[in-house]
Amino acid sequence: VHGARNNGQFYLHADNEALAERLKVAGYATAAEVAAFVMNREFGLNQGFDFYNDLYAAPQRQEVPSKATLTERVAEEVCDGALDLLRKCATRRFFLFVHFFDPHYPYEPPGRFAEQYAQRYLGEIAYVDEQIGRLIAELKLLEIDEKTLIIVTSDHGEGLGQHREQTHTVFLYDTTLTVPLIMRCSRQISAGRRVTAQVRLIDIAPTVLAFLGLEPLADAQGESLLPLITEAAGDPGRVAYAETVVPMINFGYAPLQAARAGGAVARQRFGQTTNVRLKPDRSEVSEVDQAAQQALIHCIRAQRPDDGFLAEETLVEPEGRRRPPPENERVCWVIDPLDGTRNYIRGIPPGRSTRSVRSRPQVGQVPGRDGMLAQKEGRPNGCDAGRPCSV
């Protein structure tokens, strides 16, 4: 819906209505403390925020010398800023977004956490956990914890070598897709309440608005979790969609899509779908109910935008002959990592020439409605009409 399909290379267009915008209109003070370059305001993510403290607004402190402050702020610095904002907003309705980035490679927790945890990734998580504890303690000190809705979640996990993925963004397995979602509001959520049904990150914004009695966002794909939280309804069988375009944009490989529901997962690349059933330990077996398979495939295909961003194209005809790319149309050549064959995808810029992940948008780049940073003049992101892009 919003078109921002990858961190640091896409822009959230102003036509989108963000959660912060809706809350600001409703009279809430809106503020954010951001820890990483990929969340900087130049990507349009500050929409609706009265105060947005990102890497270029925040004072730079070299807490961890080997982590460049140009790309990351450590959790303690982010928390210090968030505490200041809490104190300023405590007497009015507020929405505070606090973003921690520490549990990312390279894993370099502060001294005592590095000493306590042999696996440094766990040390990073423990460090962030401590900072979240500081925020909750401040809410109690300000005597607003009982009436504040607190949500703790993550956008992804880390592979840590499982499925041969060390970090994230390359594959679509539960190791990176399954994340915590913790909600606390003493006046409305029963302590110890646990929802076993599958839920999704896209359900968070509708849930927040439902808690506050506000109308849902017009284009939101998610659904409020309030009926599940209050036990007013059973498991609705939500289908969770996932995709990664990083293999294509960064490495010239095929983009991947997946849908997960009812203990089954369907993954697709170039229209070829693999289906598996999840065992209780989250390992996979190649068995799936045919009805579930079709439902998952339908979900994947329904996510393709009309511009062909993830359009289904095949390299060869059924007889084995290579099919040429369409004439007078932007195409991008990519590689299937499983069998090494090359294919093209319609309407997709290669991404490499759009911008560096660690630099500001270049002069002349403008965000399109689909979110991709495009050039005002010359070749669009390195692609010529009707000619393949170099990879």
Side-chain angles (χ1 to χ4, degrees), residues 104-338:
H104 280 74
Y105 182 84
Y107 312 122
E108 297 174 343
R112 60 189 176 90
F113 292 96
E115 295 171 2
Q116 185 177 353
Y117 293 90
Q119 188 178 118
R120 293 198 165 192
Y121 175 61
L122 297 181
E124 293 268 40
I125 293 175
Y127 173 46
V128 170
D129 182 73
E130 180 183 72
Q131 302 307 310
I132 294 174
R134 291 178 63 203
L135 290 173
I136 295 175
E138 187 66 23
L139 288 170
K140 293 179 179 179
L141 185 64
L142 295 170
E143 299 182 345
I144 57 175
D145 60 305
E146 295 295 320
K147 59 181 181 180
T148 301
L149 173 62
I150 303 170
I151 300 176
V152 179
T153 191
S154 175
D155 58 340
H156 60 78
E158 294 284 74
L160 301 178
Q162 296 186 60
H163 305 289
R164 299 186 179 183
E165 182 175 27
Q166 294 300 321
T167 56
H168 56 279
T169 73
V170 177
F171 299 126
L172 298 175
Y173 291 103
D174 270 15
T175 47
T176 54
L177 296 183
T178 303
V179 296
L181 176 56
I182 303 169
M183 305 179 71
R184 179 185 184 273
C185 187
S186 300
R187 294 184 180 180
Q188 298 192 54
I189 302 177
S190 301
R193 170 74 175 127
R194 181 171 183 175
V195 174
T196 58
Q198 174 169 282
V199 298
R200 306 156 304 184
L201 293 179
I202 59 173
D203 298 324
I204 294 177
T207 302
V208 170
L209 294 174
F211 258 94
L212 302 177
L214 299 176
E215 290 295 316
L217 299 171
D219 295 328
Q221 293 174 302
E223 305 169 79
S224 171
L225 301 176
L226 203 53
L228 281 175
I229 294 170
T230 60
E231 301 184 76
D235 183 358
R238 289 179 172 87
V239 178
Y241 171 77
E243 70 178 33
T244 176
V245 297
V246 169
M248 175 189 68
I249 292 176
N250 290 5
F251 308 112
Y253 289 141
L256 301 176
Q257 295 172 286
R260 187 184 191 278
V265 178
R267 300 188 184 93
Q268 181 166 279
R269 72 186 201 288
F270 290 137
Q272 301 176 28
T273 304
T274 58
N275 305 280
V276 298
R277 177 172 56 83
L278 297 174
K279 297 170 68 175
D281 63 357
R282 297 191 183 277
S283 61
E284 302 178 355
V285 291
S286 297
E287 301 174 12
V288 69
D289 177 82
Q290 291 300 313
Q293 172 181 326
Q294 292 304 314
L296 294 173
I297 293 174
H298 175 76
C299 173
I300 290 176
R301 290 178 175 171
Q303 300 295 329
R304 294 196 186 95
D306 294 336
D307 64 3
F309 189 89
L310 289 174
E312 179 179 332
E313 295 289 345
T314 56
L315 177 66
V316 295
E317 299 285 7
E319 301 82 22
R321 297 193 303 272
R322 181 181 296 272
R323 187 169 68 185
E327 295 184 2
N328 301 319
E329 190 168 1
R330 290 169 60 195
V331 299
C332 183
W333 290 98
V334 295
I335 300 171
D336 188 327
L338 295 185

Side-chain angles (χ1 to χ4, degrees), residues 2 33 93 156 239 358:
H2 50 68
E33 283 287 337
R93 297 183 302 172
H156 60 78
V239 178
R358 294 193 177 189

Side-chain angles (χ1 to χ4, degrees), residues 34-43 52-60 69-73 77 355-361:
V34 172
F37 167 82
V38 294
M39 295 289 292
N40 268 16
R41 67 190 64 204
E42 63 221 58
F43 302 112
Y52 197 83
N53 200 17
D54 58 15
L55 264 71
Y56 296 126
Q60 299 299 312
T69 55
L70 179 64
T71 57
E72 179 180 351
R73 298 167 64 201
E77 179 186 338
R355 47 164 292 126
S356 167
V357 173
R358 294 193 177 189
S359 66
R360 294 175 180 267

